[in-house]
Amino acid sequence: MNTLEGKIAIVTGGASGIGRATALTFARAGARVVVADIDGPGAEATVEQIAAVAGDKAAVAVRADVSDSDDCRRIVQTALDAFGALHVLFNNAGIIRRTTALDLDVEEWDRVMAVNVRSVFLMCKHAIPAMTEGGSIVNTGSGWGLKGGGNAISYCASKAAVVNMTRALAIDHARAGIRVNSVNPGDTDTPMLRDEARQLGEDWAAFQTDAADRPMGRSGTPDEIAQAVLFLASDAASYITGSALVVDGGGLA
């Protein structure tokens, strides 16, 4: 049941990291995928990787800003135009600013909220009416959406919003056959994690050591998060909605 054979999926933030790994995982599981990202060349590169494992017609790329309503509508329409339906939405696009409230510009706060929170609302607003056969939505939260973290006020606030918005969406749309869950990674070896080290002015090797300070003794990989997303997206999770699945090597525990 852990398959997406015959399903159509959208992955936002699909140019790198967890988004790219999940787009590839979805394609290997039988889905056709719309890869959306503000990084157009990165999204195209993901589509090329998908073509190598699932064929030339398995994916299309869309350059889009998911904080913009028209762009979100266009992403959904691309899925309908290219593949004729929509069954899975993975809201993964996100950014982080590692700073306290005192050092955070208002414009930076607004941008984090736009990319991390507004985008989830907009994508769901436009995608849910297209899910005429029911579907599954997975939103990327974070361990820091369930507990606090230092020097990351806007990120923590935004991911907490995603986790609770997920619950509200699950309640509202369950009778339409649409499940909505969040996946909540811990530190995962992605370009965003490396950018965090840069923002904090920390040596990458030392930052990795700190990230590994959890029961399993290491940070996660994008492929490991992608497998959790695949589970939530698939019929293997048919009775799961409104849940916040933590995938963090035991860090939150």
Side-chain angles (χ1 to χ4, degrees), residues 42-200:
E44 292 283 0
T46 299
V47 167
E48 290 175 6
Q49 292 186 25
I50 289 172
V53 299
D56 291 339
K57 297 183 178 180
V60 295
V62 180
R63 185 192 181 282
D65 178 352
V66 289
S67 69
D68 180 83
S69 184
D70 288 341
D71 276 13
C72 291
R73 183 185 294 108
R74 182 165 54 85
I75 293 168
V76 173
Q77 192 60 50
T78 297
L80 299 178
D81 291 345
F83 302 123
L86 178 61
H87 307 98
V88 176
L89 168 62
F90 180 36
N91 283 312
N92 173 70
I95 58 175
I96 190 168
R97 295 293 180 264
R98 293 301 306 270
T99 184
T100 68
L102 301 182
D103 297 324
L104 184 68
D105 293 337
V106 173
E107 292 78 13
E108 289 183 311
W109 168 275
D110 289 345
R111 184 58 182 161
V112 171
M113 291 298 162
V115 176
N116 293 6
V117 183
R118 175 183 167 92
S119 68
V120 175
F121 156 67
L122 289 174
M123 285 301 304
C124 289
K125 180 178 180 63
H126 295 301
I128 287 171
M131 292 180 163
T132 56
E133 303 170 20
S136 175
I137 298 171
V138 183
N139 301 321
T140 298
S142 169
W144 279 357
L146 300 166
K147 65 183 289 290
N151 293 300
I153 182 172
S154 58
Y155 185 79
C156 292
S158 70
K159 291 304 184 179
V162 169
V163 170
N164 216 33
M165 182 170 22
T166 297
R167 298 183 181 115
L169 287 161
I171 293 166
D172 287 343
H173 302 289
R175 295 301 177 91
I178 296 171
R179 297 183 298 104
V180 191
N181 295 286
S182 66
V183 63
N184 296 273
D187 287 336
T188 305
D189 190 359
T190 63
M192 192 169 84
L193 191 69
R194 293 170 183 269
D195 185 53
E196 286 186 62
R198 181 193 60 78
Q199 289 182 43
L200 292 168

